[in-house]
Amino acid sequence: MVGMNLAFAFNSMFKCERIVRVAPLGVKLSNKELRKRYPKAGGKLSVVLTKDAPPWGNEGDVLRVSRGFTLNYLMPNQLAQPASEEIIAEAEAKRAALQAEEEAKREEAAAIGSKLLSIGKFKLQRKSGDDGKLFGSVTPADIIGVVNAAASCNLDAPKIILPPAKDIDHLGDYPFSIQLYKDISVDLVLTLTAA
């Protein structure tokens, strides 16, 4: 009610014929031009997501959402753009390229995983006391160095899951796993020996 009164006061004060609002793209459009650009089709618009939006979909997905949600949320946050044949074709080509790239990464991770599994045990030398207690700690960087040297591969910084640091305090065998890709991980064994 207050908004209507303010709009009426604004219109009567400045002798405006219509209220102009700012469109999501930063271009001033009147209500008539907005309706023309985004016609009501049962209150729904087809849009293509330009970024991953977890509750609604991934980049390149074509959604049919309400007009208000599109104009008030998706477009101002640059999460979507109106669907046209060219944009849909471009999104599908981009999605196909991303899928091919992801498949290549997955195959490379699987090959490295099978290579690491064939080795199975990795040896790391550390200084220790007479009772086998380690001097210092074992870090993921140490493990990556040993794995890269033994397997002749170049792992940058995959996710390494170690037992708690307090458990790695003596010489012996310790299980660990390396996550090479989203759903590809390998379980390996680290053998700590005296230097």
Side-chain angles (χ1 to χ4, degrees), residues 94-140:
K94 192 173 185 181
R95 183 184 296 160
L98 286 173
Q99 281 181 338
E101 183 179 322
E102 187 172 321
E103 190 61 34
K105 287 180 182 178
R106 184 182 306 278
E107 288 176 5
E108 181 183 355
I112 291 173
S114 63
K115 190 175 189 180
L116 293 177
L117 282 174
S118 67
I119 297 173
K121 260 189 178 180
F122 296 92
K123 292 185 180 181
L124 180 62
Q125 292 186 344
R126 284 283 184 238
K127 290 183 180 179
S128 63
D130 294 335
D131 60 347
K133 188 163 175 76
L134 295 177
F135 297 140
S137 63
V138 177
T139 64

